[in-house]
Amino acid sequence: MLLHGSGSDPQSVLRLLHDEAERRGMLVLAPKSMAYTWDAILGGVGPDIRSIQEALDWMAERFRLDRARIMLSGFSDGASYALTVGLVNGDVFSRIGAFSPGFLLPGPRTGRPSIFVSHGLADPVLPIDRCSRVLVPGLIADGYEVDFREFADGHTVPREMVAAALDPLAG
């Protein structure tokens, strides 16, 4: 599952993973937030969680899903939401992919999903020093397995970061 950033949409964010996922024979689901971004960013978790659950249920009714290989990922605000929701639902998502996250909301956590974080050194939107370089050490201190990769670009998702995030899910 791939979550779009603030002001974006599912079609735009799908372009990030489409080629790599297709090459690997993976399904990608990209739901739309109820507002211009995800509800946790706007001050509370609720309608978007229900929408994500409904999308997962829809997929499970139509495809044989390997529960050990379900990743919740996102870009920008979608990455922050993926971290927040993925850690609360670590029994549902085996992996979290956060491409240029900004923050992580506190809350109860379940399971131990593996986590991939990538962030551009020249990100002007969510600067790496205030975002991923703060988040990642906290996740590691909490006992999570985190693969953190920095790259020499801005607020984007390079192809090699997508491949690295998906590699552990290869069957």
Side-chain angles (χ1 to χ4, degrees):
M1 183 171 289
L2 179 61
L3 307 178
H4 63 80
S6 178
S8 188
D9 58 65
Q11 293 75 24
S12 296
V13 77
L14 273 171
R15 291 183 196 112
L16 299 175
L17 263 72
H18 179 269
D19 292 345
E20 191 66 26
E22 186 173 274
R23 187 177 71 74
R24 295 167 184 255
M26 295 178 164
L27 296 171
V28 180
L29 179 63
K32 170 118 179 66
S33 62
M34 302 301 256
Y36 68 91
T37 195
W38 303 97
D39 54 16
I41 289 127
L42 299 174
V45 176
D48 285 331
I49 292 293
R50 285 188 294 280
S51 176
I52 286 172
Q53 183 60 54
E54 289 169 3
L56 276 174
D57 292 345
W58 184 90
M59 288 288 279
E61 289 170 6
R62 287 157 180 78
F63 301 96
R64 200 169 125 237
L65 302 179
D66 181 349
R67 295 281 178 185
R69 295 174 44 203
I70 297 178
M71 180 170 95
L72 179 61
S73 62
F75 172 62
S76 192
D77 278 359
S80 299
Y81 201 62
L83 281 169
T84 298
V85 171
L87 292 174
V88 170
N89 297 284
D91 54 340
V92 175
F93 302 102
S94 62
R95 186 156 175 82
I96 301 168
F99 303 104
S100 303
F103 63 90
L104 165 63
L105 291 177
R109 297 177 180 175
T110 60
R112 283 281 174 208
S114 64
I115 302 169
F116 177 86
V117 177
S118 68
H119 213 121
L121 294 169
D123 189 334
V125 177
L126 295 170
I128 191 171
D129 285 332
R130 292 194 329 237
C131 299
S132 290
R133 287 185 178 163
V134 173
L135 291 171
V136 169
L139 290 167
I140 292 170
D142 287 345
Y144 288 94
E145 174 191 327
V146 181
D147 180 355
F148 178 41
R149 304 200 187 187
E150 299 177 358
F151 56 91
D153 206 343
H155 198 63
T156 187
V157 183
R159 292 184 104 136
E160 62 269 17
M161 295 301 134
V162 172
L166 296 179
D167 278 347
L169 299 175

